[in-house]
Amino acid sequence: MGHRLKDNITSRYVEAANKLASKHARHKVIAYVESYEDVFFWRTVLSRFETPNRYFEVMLPSRMAHLERGKKAAISNLLDGVGQDMIACVDADYDYLMQGASPGSRILLDNPYVFHTFAYAIENLQCYAPSLHNVAVAVVLNDHSIFDFNDFLRQYSEAIYPLFIWNIWYYRSTHYGEFTMTDFNHIIETGDINIDHPEIALERLRKKVGRAVENMRRKNPDARESYQQVKEDMKRLGVNAHNTYLYIQGHQLFDHIVLPLLERVCSRLLREREREIGRQARHNMQYQTEMSSYKNSVGDVKSMLKRNMGYAFSPQYEQIVEALNAAWPATSPAPLYSNNP
């Protein structure tokens, strides 16, 4: 039990504070998130559930966790207190796929006021394949499609899928330490990807995964049936061979696969646009003016990817909306932004 009033804030406390406010004041629901970068994501999600009578305030749990961050802080310190007026919003990690096989997974699944991303993390949703061309266009303002992100991430998912199932199989077992997420991430690294010939990196990846899968089969000769059960369970949860990239560790996907790819694509598109400006300029002054204007308009790849909202068209985003809708029925289409009082 905390010694200060703010150490003991619960949904009931927030509910009482709402009742003390003016009867014309909007009802406030506090939404605690894991990190600073999560604030924007959950604000955009929760905006569609705001009404003339209700709004959400998204914040870190630092007031109660002494600046400690992460799911442990967001859930452990709030679990006994979440409710209709105070919720926790977290990354799903593997907890969603574990389906109650761990204490953290049971918390995620059983508490109706702990909401999660369904994909592994927000970073995975920011890397939603159908949106990545738009991110490149937003960065360099060049709509020339020179790389098929959809096809690459589909093939990448197909390549790692059998090993991903083994990783979940181990995490659901009592000997998960024998094949950790770190081990899995090491195998599924692609290294440098040539955007003209991505098939080279993909073929290299398939061979690494194939060797690892064969090793798993040798080590677990009696796991054929249980492996198939995990595979069927993943299918029920929306995980398949085409979208596995959305369920691997978000940091691995964002920093080691998608961001380097986007940077290479944007670099080439940038040079292409600069050459076009050079060809069209009638004299040096016009060239300098146009080039200066263009460079001032170009964005930063990482920042733009972190602000990518193309995930709003993903099935996983719809799952988030459905979960929130069970608690607060949405009364209007999803706005991108909302102003709190």
Side-chain angles (χ1 to χ4, degrees):
M1 180 67 70
H3 297 291
R4 294 174 295 180
L5 181 61
K6 68 178 182 179
D7 292 328
N8 302 309
I9 293 178
T10 65
S11 180
R12 295 181 64 184
Y13 176 90
V14 180
E15 179 185 4
N18 278 321
K19 289 180 178 179
L20 290 174
S22 164
K23 62 168 131 181
H24 300 295
R26 296 172 80 195
H27 188 90
K28 177 169 72 173
V29 180
I30 292 179
Y32 282 108
V33 298
E34 300 181 67
S35 69
Y36 296 111
E37 293 181 350
D38 296 351
V39 173
F40 177 72
F41 174 84
W42 286 105
R43 163 106 301 273
T44 61
V45 176
L46 292 168
S47 291
R48 73 183 295 167
F49 297 96
E50 294 186 324
T51 70
N53 300 316
R54 177 182 62 236
Y55 75 97
F56 293 86
E57 184 175 347
V58 183
M59 62 177 66
L60 295 175
S62 56
R63 294 178 183 174
M64 296 154 50
H66 307 293
L67 297 180
E68 182 184 9
R69 292 185 290 166
K71 185 181 295 185
K72 184 176 180 181
I75 292 184
S76 298
N77 291 294
L78 303 171
L79 181 60
D80 293 333
V82 294
Q84 188 76 20
D85 291 84
M86 190 180 81
I87 63 177
C89 301
V90 300
D91 288 336
D93 297 347
Y94 268 5
D95 289 333
Y96 171 57
L97 303 183
M98 292 285 282
Q99 289 294 290
S102 68
S105 179
R106 289 191 288 274
I107 290 172
L108 203 73
L109 298 177
D110 296 342
N111 195 314
Y113 297 106
V114 176
F115 299 94
H116 63 90
T117 53
F118 288 91
Y120 185 96
I122 291 171
E123 288 92 339
N124 300 73
L125 295 173
Q126 291 166 339
C127 295
Y128 183 52
S131 71
L132 294 178
H133 173 68
N134 289 349
V135 175
V137 174
V139 173
V140 295
L141 308 177
N142 184 345
D143 198 19
H144 183 195
S145 180
I146 63 171
F147 187 83
D148 192 337
F149 292 102
N150 282 309
D151 184 63
F152 177 83
L153 286 172
R154 176 186 60 79
Q155 291 194 61
Y156 176 80
S157 293
E158 290 172 348
I160 68 173
Y161 178 68
L163 192 61
F164 174 80
I165 299 297
W166 274 114
N167 197 216
I168 299 298
W169 184 90
Y170 268 96
Y171 267 80
R172 287 186 172 189
S173 74
T174 57
H175 50 286
Y176 59 87
E178 295 179 18
F179 185 44
T180 66
M181 188 182 298
T182 301
D183 299 328
F184 174 64
N185 287 342
H186 179 70
I187 296 171
I188 66 172
E189 289 179 353
T190 59
D192 290 336
I193 300 170
N194 183 334
I195 62 174
D196 294 315
H197 298 286
E199 68 277 4
I200 296 173
L202 288 168
E203 184 58 29
R204 186 168 60 240
L205 175 65
R206 292 188 189 100
K207 290 180 180 178
K208 286 198 299 178
V209 170
R211 290 192 295 267
V213 167
E214 185 58 34
N215 183 49
M216 295 297 166
R217 289 173 178 161
R218 285 198 302 268
K219 289 174 61 177
N220 304 281
D222 300 323
R224 183 172 182 176
E225 184 176 343
S226 57
Y227 176 91
Q228 189 62 33
Q229 289 175 347
V230 172
K231 190 175 180 180
E232 289 299 319
D233 204 22
M234 291 302 99
K235 182 179 179 180
R236 178 180 64 82
L237 296 174
V239 187
N240 58 58
H242 297 162
N243 67 4
T244 312
Y245 75 96
L246 291 170
Y247 300 92
I248 67 174
Q249 189 180 53
H251 168 74
Q252 175 77 12
L253 177 70
F254 189 103
D255 289 327
H256 299 292
I257 300 170
V258 173
L259 182 60
L261 267 177
L262 264 174
E263 287 175 337
R264 288 182 175 89
V265 169
C266 288
S267 178
R268 179 171 298 182
L269 290 173
L270 178 71
R271 294 195 302 270
E272 181 182 276
R273 180 65 78 203
E274 289 176 342
R275 288 194 296 269
E276 181 183 337
I277 292 172
R279 288 194 303 269
Q280 294 179 349
R282 296 181 179 179
H283 46 75
N284 186 60
M285 183 174 292
Q286 184 183 43
Y287 171 78
Q288 295 296 338
T289 300
E290 287 297 320
M291 189 66 75
S292 177
S293 176
Y294 176 60
K295 288 186 175 180
N296 287 334
S297 300
V298 169
D300 175 73
V301 179
K302 187 173 184 179
S303 297
M304 203 68 72
L305 185 57
K306 283 190 172 293
R307 293 294 178 265
N308 178 27
M309 295 176 63
Y311 53 74
F313 298 99
S314 70
Q316 292 71 26
Y317 178 80
E318 286 305 314
Q319 288 179 285
I320 300 172
V321 169
E322 288 175 12
L324 286 161
N325 197 58
W328 301 280
T331 58
S332 62
L336 294 184
Y337 300 98
S338 176
N339 293 322
N340 285 343

